[in-house]
Structure formats: structure tokens, C-alpha cells
Amino acid sequence: MWPNGSSAGPCFRPSNLTAEERRLIASPWFAASFCLAGLASNLLALGVLAGARQGGSHARSSFLTLLCGLVLTDFMGLLVTGAIVVAQHAALLDWRAADPGCRLCQFMGVVMVFFGLCPLLLGAAMASERHLGITRPFSRPAASSRRRAWATVALVWAAALALGLLPLLGVGRYTVQYPGSWCFLTLGAQPGDVAFGLLFTLLGSLSVGLSFLLNTISVATLCHVYHGQEAAQQRPRDCEVEMMAQLTGIMVVASICWMPLLVFIAQTVLRSPPAMSPTGQLSRATEQQLLIYLRVATWNQILDPWVYILFRRAVIRRLHPRLSARPRSLSLQPQLTQRRPVP
């Protein structure tokens, strides 16, 4: 409960929004259009993925399974959070009337953290899978690649859910955010708020950093093989180039969309003097910045499927016809047997 003498639930903070401003921005059409565009993009990507997963190598099957988990997570995230946001806009942003006990707010806070972290963690998992597939292709049994990939997706979901449940256990708080259509972690100065905000920021930033490091090594390895002395025998297969192009695109999109929000959260909870007053009030500028950075982060769920759709081999070959004309090989590794010279 905030120390403001209000009998409202613990998720409600003092608002800077007047009734007239709430009425002017309460139209649900923008939020609904944004959500529908994202859902359509992810459905299209899932349809393309369903066809691509039939057949192919074990390495590609594992990568596509992780990618399928990413697109499915993005789709569910847009569906759940979008439905709540559109409903609150339709209710004229009056969260107190719709959810006086803050149960819906707690639920939305959990899913916001869950669906926010999952793409970053899955991106790191995909980078790790491709790093091992390129640098150590024979280190894992191929028969269980798809099963292991789904186990990785489940582990990522469990880790993100565990973090999202921490405020329900007393570490941090979920509160209604400006303009009253969504709930998220609290940017307060209390130890629990600071710890949860920094933990969320740290985990997200480490995922992006790990993806960058492993993808850089993988791309450097592919370039070394492509331009090496035995390039004619060891050139990467088209699918290796395709997967790295898609993974690099996913990493770039995640970095651009999420890093501003993660940096802003860390800066705000560590600010001195605190950005939030003892009664739980943030300045209008801070609330608007948080909303802008959140909307930028949401674009990650819309752009992820288009990275896969546009960075497929068919599209890459149209942009770079030489890729379809070069010789292919069966492995990135050196030939296991050398041909003896003919006497």
C-alpha cells in the first residue's frame, strides 16, 4: 500500500493524468491495429516455419525449433498483453473500476516481464546453438537435436516465469503505468524495487551481450572457412549462411528495441535523488519516457517474424545471385580423409 492514505489496491500510484486527457487518449484503435499487425506477422512466420521444418538437416531442425519457440512466444505475448491494453483503452483507462483488487495488474506485470525476457533469452540460446553447430558440429548427437531444442525453450520459459513471479513473493512491485493501460515493474527507490529492476535489466543485457559475442565468433568462423585456403572444399552450406543472417538480424532488432528500455530502467532506479516520490509519483516526463521505450521494445515482437521471412535463402539469393551459383559442401569441417596423389 502506498503511503497516501488511499484505500485503493497496492498497484495504484498517484496519476498525473487528468480526466480530460484520459478521454482524449483512450481510443483503442491504435492499440488494436498495432496488436493485429503483430499477430498477423507472427502467424505468417509460423506458417512459413511449418513448411521449412519438414525435412532438412538436424542442425537446421534444431535452429528452426528454437526459432519456432521465439515466434510462438512473440505471438502469445502480443495476444495476451494486447487484449488487456485494448480492453483498458475501451474502458477509458479506468483501471481502478476494472480491477480494484489489482489481480489483473499483477497478472499483466508477470506476463510483461515473461514475454519481455523470453525473446532475449531465446536469442542467446539460439546464438549458443549456432556457435556449437558451427565450431563443434560433431560434439552433440544429432538424433536428439529437436528434442533438446524444445527442452531449451521450456527452460527459457521457466526461467523467465520464475523472474516474473518475484514481485508476488515480495521482491519488487507491479503497478499501473501511464496512461493507465498497462502494468509493469515499479521504478521506485525501495530496495525490493531497485533489486528487481536491476535483476531484470542485468538478465536482459547479459542475454544481448552473450548473443553479440557468440554471433560474432560464429560469423568470423564462417568468414574464415569461406575465405580459407581450402574454401572450395569447405565453404559453408547455404543453410549455414541463412541461419546466421537470420540470427544476426534477430540480435540487431532485439538490441535496438530493448537496450533503450533496459538502460532507462537501470538509470531510473539508481537515480539520486530518487525519480519516484515517497507517495509513488513519477514526473510526467519520466512516465512518458517509459511509455515510449516500452513501445519501442514491443516492436521486437513484430519485427522478429519479418527477420525470418525476409532473410530466407530464396530472398537472399535474389539480393545476392552469386550465392546460388557457388559450389556447396557437406560440412564446415576439414575433410576427414585426404586423397592420395595419383602416381
Side-chain angles (χ1 to χ4, degrees):
M1 185 73 65
W2 298 97
N4 55 9
S6 174
S7 59
C11 65
F12 297 106
R13 298 183 293 103
S15 174
N16 293 318
L17 196 64
T18 65
E20 180 64 19
E21 290 173 327
R22 183 181 292 110
R23 186 185 64 82
L24 291 175
I25 64 177
S27 173
W29 296 114
F30 173 78
S33 301
F34 190 85
C35 181
L36 288 175
L39 292 175
S41 300
N42 282 278
L43 279 177
L44 177 61
L46 285 173
V48 177
L49 272 169
R53 290 181 63 200
Q54 298 177 1
S57 64
H58 291 288
R60 180 169 169 79
S61 175
S62 177
F63 177 81
L64 291 180
T65 299
L66 292 173
L67 187 56
C68 182
L70 173 63
V71 175
L72 182 62
T73 301
D74 287 340
F75 176 82
M76 292 303 300
L78 284 169
L79 181 64
V80 176
T81 59
I84 297 175
V85 171
V86 171
Q88 291 303 319
H89 275 276
L92 300 180
L93 304 175
D94 190 1
W95 199 293
R96 293 175 186 265
D99 181 36
C102 292
R103 293 183 179 180
L104 179 61
C105 183
Q106 300 289 346
F107 172 75
M108 186 176 188
V110 172
V111 299
M112 286 287 288
V113 170
F114 175 81
F115 289 115
L117 278 180
C118 276
L120 303 180
L121 294 174
L122 285 172
M126 294 165 65
S128 301
E129 189 277 336
R130 278 294 77 216
H131 176 260
L132 290 176
I134 290 174
T135 61
R136 298 180 180 180
F138 303 124
S139 63
R140 300 167 299 167
S144 60
S145 294
R146 183 175 296 182
R147 185 167 60 251
R148 182 184 290 106
W150 278 121
T152 301
V153 173
L155 182 62
V156 166
W157 286 344
L161 180 60
L163 183 69
L165 291 175
L166 285 181
L168 304 187
L169 302 176
V171 182
R173 292 170 292 180
Y174 291 127
T175 51
V176 178
Q177 306 292 336
Y178 173 86
S181 59
W182 59 295
C183 286
F184 197 49
L185 57 86
T186 304
L187 303 180
Q190 292 190 9
D193 296 334
V194 174
F196 186 63
L198 292 180
L199 184 59
F200 178 81
T201 300
L202 180 63
L203 192 55
S205 300
L206 286 177
S207 299
V208 174
L210 181 62
S211 298
F212 179 81
L213 175 63
L214 295 180
N215 287 337
T216 300
I217 296 174
S218 298
V219 171
T221 302
L222 285 179
C223 292
H224 174 73
V225 171
Y226 188 90
H227 297 289
Q229 294 181 353
E230 299 179 356
Q233 290 78 28
Q234 301 177 43
R235 277 183 174 175
R237 292 170 294 178
D238 286 349
C239 67
E240 300 285 354
V241 177
E242 177 190 46
M243 287 187 286
M244 282 312 307
Q246 292 168 348
L247 190 52
T248 302
I250 290 172
M251 178 194 68
V252 171
V253 168
S255 301
I256 294 175
C257 292
W258 272 99
M259 287 310 298
L261 177 62
L262 296 177
V263 171
F264 177 76
I265 292 174
Q267 290 178 337
T268 304
V269 298
L270 293 176
R271 187 180 302 174
S272 181
M276 181 174 289
S277 69
T279 60
Q281 190 166 12
L282 289 169
S283 67
R284 173 63 69 87
T286 301
E287 290 183 329
Q288 290 177 338
Q289 280 183 290
L290 178 60
L291 179 62
I292 291 172
Y293 290 139
L294 187 278
R295 286 177 173 172
V296 173
T298 306
W299 273 99
N300 183 55
Q301 296 173 311
I302 297 177
L303 296 178
D304 272 346
W306 286 106
V307 170
Y308 169 70
I309 293 170
L310 296 178
F311 285 11
R312 289 175 299 146
R313 272 177 286 180
V315 179
I316 293 176
R317 285 173 180 170
R318 287 187 178 183
L319 298 177
H320 199 326
R322 290 180 58 190
L323 290 177
S324 59
R326 63 173 177 77
R328 302 179 185 178
S329 68
L330 297 178
S331 175
L332 290 174
Q333 298 298 305
Q335 300 295 325
L336 298 179
T337 59
Q338 300 291 336
R339 292 182 180 179
R340 297 180 178 179
V342 179

